[in-house]
Amino acid sequence: MSVIDLESTLQEFWGEEAKAARQEGRNELLQPQVGRPTRIVAMGGGTGLPVVLRGLARRALPKPGDPGVEITAVVTMSDDGGSSGRLRRSQGVLPPGDIRNCLVALAGGKGALAEVFQYRFGGAKGLAGHALGNLLIAALAELKGDFLEAVRLSGEMLGARGQVLPCTLAPVQLVAQMDDATEVVGERNIVRAQGRVRRVSLSPRSPPPAEGLLEAIHSADLIVIGPGSLYSSVLPNLLVDGVAQALRESRALKVMVSNLMTQPGETDGMDCLEHVKAIIEHAGPVLDAVLINGTPPPQEAIQRYARKGAYVIPVNRRELITAGVIPVEADLLKEGSKIRHDSRKVARCLLKMARSGL
């Protein structure tokens, strides 16, 4: 099924009575207002969220007949590995790495300054391994005494076509309850544990949301969750105080972009429905639809990933519908040897979904 088949999918999901209600203008989902940009909130972290942002950033500027989009990226703040983790431990700053990648994505990822932000020092000591953009954001936060202002100024420097918000300004750690009943604290330790995660939480629990986050959710036309590491990039955003409730109350269309592959040591053996159920179990009924890839990756690539323990995520459309989530299938695959989402294709589908009104 392609993204243009949304109407038939909705008839199958909601039936004729709901179709009539929509025709009478009584649908519960918010229709973007004509003449203003489509307001989009994208939530995640890691390498998945920048994929969505790169595609949306290309559509941000208004054109004749198209008012463009307003983008707010909401980024998880529990990263404690790599350059971000070292800065957290040595300088007491919030982790800037995912923030940096999102800012660069919203700037188009090109240009001399974007290249500088993404430059990573080599060597074995001192600055080795640090991304220069991480150091710049940390320096601005110390200079201004305000992490949010540091992020805003960094976005201005890069020419980011949208705003980036940390989900919280509290120094949080990710805590996982594993299938064997053990508890693992810290994102990097969870990755190393190589066990099946049952549930995650933040420590301290329910940290306060960053200023402007809940307002962005309530005013959005479209809310995008994922793609990205389910337990370390996607779910932590939903555990911030008030976020899950705001999502449940929001009249925006709420879409999960399904991952293409399982993540070794984190989502082994999980299908698309289990990803959806994990979100529902942690945050309640916060999803209206799930965007899934309908183009099989090359067999050679599938075999190569399998040798590393990663497999294509199975999708059962009927089970998703039964769970109360609309499956929307489209070609989302990027050409090349790696199994990746194509940012342009993802953005095109998301905007069609938002502007169709579902």
Side-chain angles (χ1 to χ4, degrees):
M1 184 189 73
S2 69
V3 73
I4 60 174
D5 295 325
L6 290 175
E7 185 66 23
S8 60
T9 305
L10 293 172
Q11 289 181 31
E12 176 184 15
F13 177 65
W14 274 329
E16 292 300 322
E17 182 179 348
K19 180 183 175 184
R22 292 202 322 281
Q23 290 173 341
E24 294 173 12
R26 292 187 283 111
N27 57 302
E28 295 180 356
L29 298 176
L30 180 66
Q31 297 268 358
Q33 295 181 14
V34 177
R36 68 156 173 81
T38 302
R39 296 169 181 159
I40 301 176
V41 172
M43 310 179 77
T47 59
L49 181 56
V51 171
V52 174
L53 298 179
R54 276 195 297 272
L56 292 175
R58 297 185 179 101
R59 310 293 291 271
L61 298 179
K63 300 176 183 178
D66 181 358
V69 298
E70 289 181 1
I71 308 165
T72 299
V74 180
V75 184
T76 183
M77 298 303 288
S78 53
D79 186 6
D80 61 359
S83 172
S84 289
R86 289 167 59 193
L87 286 170
R88 287 188 72 171
R89 291 186 291 274
S90 65
Q91 303 297 318
V93 300
L94 294 170
D98 287 353
I99 294 280
R100 182 196 82 248
N101 286 328
C102 289
L103 289 171
V104 171
L106 285 172
K110 298 179 180 178
L113 192 53
E115 187 176 352
V116 168
F117 260 71
Q118 295 294 64
Y119 176 77
R120 198 173 291 274
F121 290 95
K125 297 180 179 180
L127 294 177
H130 278 301
L132 183 54
N134 289 355
L135 300 177
L136 289 172
I137 294 172
L140 282 170
E142 187 171 311
L143 182 66
K144 299 295 182 179
D146 186 331
F147 189 79
L148 274 181
E149 180 67 5
V151 174
R152 188 189 68 79
L153 290 172
S154 298
E156 281 188 1
M157 285 191 286
L158 285 163
R161 298 175 180 178
Q163 69 167 336
V164 177
L165 292 176
C167 63
T168 182
L169 296 177
V172 295
Q173 283 188 307
L174 189 64
V175 181
Q177 286 76 44
M178 314 298 286
D179 254 355
D180 61 4
T182 60
E183 183 176 274
V184 182
V185 179
E187 185 177 314
R188 58 180 178 159
N189 293 328
I190 295 169
V191 173
R192 293 170 180 167
Q194 292 292 301
R196 183 73 177 265
V197 178
R198 181 187 303 166
R199 192 173 184 87
V200 290
S201 59
L202 294 177
S203 179
R205 286 183 176 271
S206 301
E211 182 181 353
L213 171 53
L214 300 185
E215 292 79 2
I217 291 173
H218 283 298
S219 65
D221 302 306
L222 173 68
I223 297 171
V224 184
I225 299 174
S229 299
L230 176 63
Y231 291 105
S232 56
S233 294
V234 174
L235 287 172
N237 288 301
L238 310 184
L239 302 176
V240 171
D241 189 35
V243 168
Q245 181 179 344
L247 289 172
R248 292 192 296 267
E249 293 173 349
S250 171
R251 297 176 64 210
L253 175 65
K254 296 173 279 289
V255 181
M256 183 185 90
V257 180
S258 177
N259 291 338
L260 301 174
M261 310 293 290
T262 59
Q263 185 172 350
E266 184 168 322
T267 58
D268 294 315
M270 292 179 65
D271 63 11
C272 186
L273 178 63
E274 288 174 297
H275 282 70
V276 167
K277 284 184 174 179
I279 289 178
I280 295 173
E281 287 168 1
H282 282 78
V286 297
L287 294 176
D288 299 308
V290 55
L291 181 59
I292 53 181
N293 173 55
T295 303
Q299 194 61 36
E300 183 277 330
I302 292 176
Q303 293 172 354
R304 190 175 67 254
Y305 275 72
R307 288 193 289 270
K308 297 181 179 179
Y311 300 89
V312 174
I313 294 176
V315 177
N316 185 310
R317 293 180 61 244
R318 175 56 56 186
E319 289 181 347
L320 289 169
I321 291 171
T322 302
V325 179
I326 305 169
V328 179
E329 185 175 304
D331 172 22
L332 304 177
L333 201 62
K334 185 175 183 178
E335 293 184 4
S337 61
K338 296 181 178 181
I339 302 177
R340 296 284 188 271
H341 284 98
D342 185 298
S343 62
R344 293 176 184 268
K345 293 177 181 178
V346 172
R348 189 184 309 123
C349 290
L350 288 172
L351 288 174
K352 282 184 179 180
M353 293 171 72
R355 290 168 179 172
S356 73
L358 276 187

